[in-house]
Amino acid sequence: MSGKRIKKHHFVPKVLQKAFCSDGDHIWFSSRDHESRFGAVEDRNIESTFRVKDLYTILDGNEKLSDVIERMFYGRIDDYLGRILPEILDCLGRGEVPVFSRESLDGLRRVVYEMIKRTPEFTGRFDDLEIGTNFIQGIMDHLREYPDLEQQAFCEEVLLDETKLTHFGRSIKVRGLVHKSDLVYDAIAEFEPRWAVINGKHSFILSSLIAYRVGNGGPNGLANPKMEIWMPIAPKYALVMVRDPKGRIPLRVEEPRDHVRQINEYAVKNSSHLASHSHKLLISLIGHGGLSK
């Protein structure tokens, strides 16, 4: 096994992107610039899309940069999706609905929840430098009461180095990101999968949000019993996680054009990166064109 650290981390797995490709491993892609405007729509290879340098990099026990979260946590999630998504798409393509065992359904719920958390839209709410600075200053405060000259010297050195502070802050953030919460897992255990299917010419896009929490008139948190989680898995299909204890919602629902447009517009409004199999669709959503093939 190579000891080379993985530096570029996909926050939207390539296996999910593949379903939205226009040609081979190519996808139509656009991202926001420094002024929060979407740039040109480009024909890009999915190796270069939806990825950020050191997004999940942490410090190991020797304070060395490590890709263990990318490899061992998100890597396993991506392997899981690589196995299950083709089976789901094949089943939906035959006009059927996927059937899950209790254990596999629990795994699906947890993966969807992790997909919500892994994106820049979620992690970007926390500033790595600020987290790291607060952490080191907290240690300094503790050392005033319980002096340790070696620790104090170390903290004083780190406080003068924004790069080190950022590494500490990102490590704390990422470790918190993958921390298991029994309270949350208990809440998502109430959700059941439904499948939104498109039979017309309209299509879902793929965005950096990956899974959209839709409040249906209320807040989009887990406390809202009407909240749904929409996760497009292909241009014509979306996984929808809902609370439906009385079984009133059909397992497979055909989506009208207007509602698909609303879902896509929600993604555009709240995402930093967008992709689609359709150049025309992406242009229609962001309001301008870009590069052609």
Side-chain angles (χ1 to χ4, degrees):
M1 181 177 177
S2 172
K4 189 174 181 180
R5 178 170 64 88
I6 301 171
K7 297 181 180 179
K8 296 291 183 71
H9 303 166
H10 281 91
F11 51 88
V12 177
K14 286 189 290 184
V15 66
L16 183 55
Q17 295 186 57
K18 278 182 176 292
F20 291 84
C21 284
S22 58
D23 180 22
D25 285 340
H26 283 246
I27 199 168
W28 291 108
F29 183 79
S30 179
S31 59
R32 293 189 190 273
D33 59 22
H34 64 281
E35 295 180 351
S36 294
R37 296 177 301 188
F38 278 106
V41 176
E42 301 178 303
D43 176 30
R44 298 268 294 275
N45 189 291
I46 60 174
E47 188 61 42
S48 69
T49 52
F50 295 109
R51 72 176 191 173
V52 174
K53 184 179 179 181
D54 286 326
L55 183 60
Y56 311 121
T57 296
I58 63 170
L59 295 173
D60 64 16
N62 297 316
E63 295 172 16
K64 300 294 185 181
L65 297 178
S66 169
D67 62 0
V68 64
I69 300 296
E70 167 67 6
R71 289 186 294 104
M72 302 304 294
F73 187 80
Y74 290 116
R76 289 175 178 173
I77 288 177
D78 296 351
D79 288 345
Y80 167 85
L81 290 172
R83 295 192 303 271
I84 195 172
L85 281 179
E87 295 177 5
I88 289 174
L89 292 175
D90 182 63
C91 184
L92 293 171
R94 298 195 304 267
E96 302 171 2
V97 293
V99 177
F100 298 92
S101 66
R102 182 175 180 177
E103 182 179 356
S104 61
L105 180 55
D106 185 58
L108 179 67
R109 293 185 183 110
R110 295 191 178 197
V111 164
V112 170
Y113 173 64
E114 295 300 338
M115 297 296 278
I116 292 173
K117 295 191 299 173
R118 75 185 290 178
T119 71
E121 280 70 25
F122 188 93
T123 61
R125 299 178 299 168
F126 311 101
D127 183 79
D128 296 348
L129 177 59
E130 181 180 356
I131 296 172
T133 301
N134 290 339
F135 173 70
I136 297 297
Q137 286 179 339
I139 296 177
M140 291 287 286
D141 291 341
H142 177 77
L143 291 174
R144 291 188 181 95
E145 187 173 355
Y146 303 98
D148 182 319
L149 293 180
E150 185 177 348
Q151 277 276 52
Q152 183 174 340
F154 170 78
C155 290
E156 289 173 349
E157 178 187 348
V158 172
L159 284 172
L160 295 175
D161 190 328
E162 287 195 355
T163 299
K164 289 183 178 179
L165 288 170
T166 299
H167 289 331
F168 270 105
R170 182 179 57 227
S171 188
I172 293 168
K173 180 182 71 177
V174 173
R175 289 179 185 277
L177 192 66
V178 301
H179 176 72
K180 294 181 179 180
S181 170
D182 291 337
L183 185 63
V184 172
Y185 284 164
D186 287 344
I188 63 174
E190 300 173 356
F191 285 84
E192 301 288 338
R194 299 293 184 265
W195 305 96
V197 178
I198 297 173
N199 290 320
K201 294 182 178 180
H202 43 298
S203 299
F204 293 113
I205 63 169
L206 180 65
S207 90
S208 51
L209 275 183
I210 307 180
Y212 321 144
R213 292 175 293 169
V214 179
N216 290 311
N220 65 358
L222 290 173
N224 175 13
K226 295 182 179 180
M227 189 271 279
E228 300 174 348
I229 303 171
W230 284 68
M231 180 176 159
I233 57 174
K236 300 299 181 182
Y237 304 111
L239 165 62
V240 187
M241 301 298 289
V242 300
R243 290 183 178 101
D244 184 27
K246 296 184 179 180
R248 293 175 176 174
I249 302 175
L251 296 178
R252 184 182 175 110
V253 178
E254 184 173 343
E255 284 298 306
R257 176 185 296 272
D258 289 348
H259 191 245
V260 174
R261 186 73 181 189
Q262 289 176 11
I263 295 295
N264 285 339
E265 289 176 345
Y266 179 89
V268 172
K269 181 180 179 181
N270 294 283
S271 303
S272 56
H273 304 71
L274 304 171
S276 175
H277 72 297
S278 170
H279 180 262
K280 181 179 179 180
L281 174 58
L282 215 50
I283 290 175
S284 75
L285 286 164
I286 67 176
H288 62 82
L291 304 178
S292 59
K293 281 191 174 181

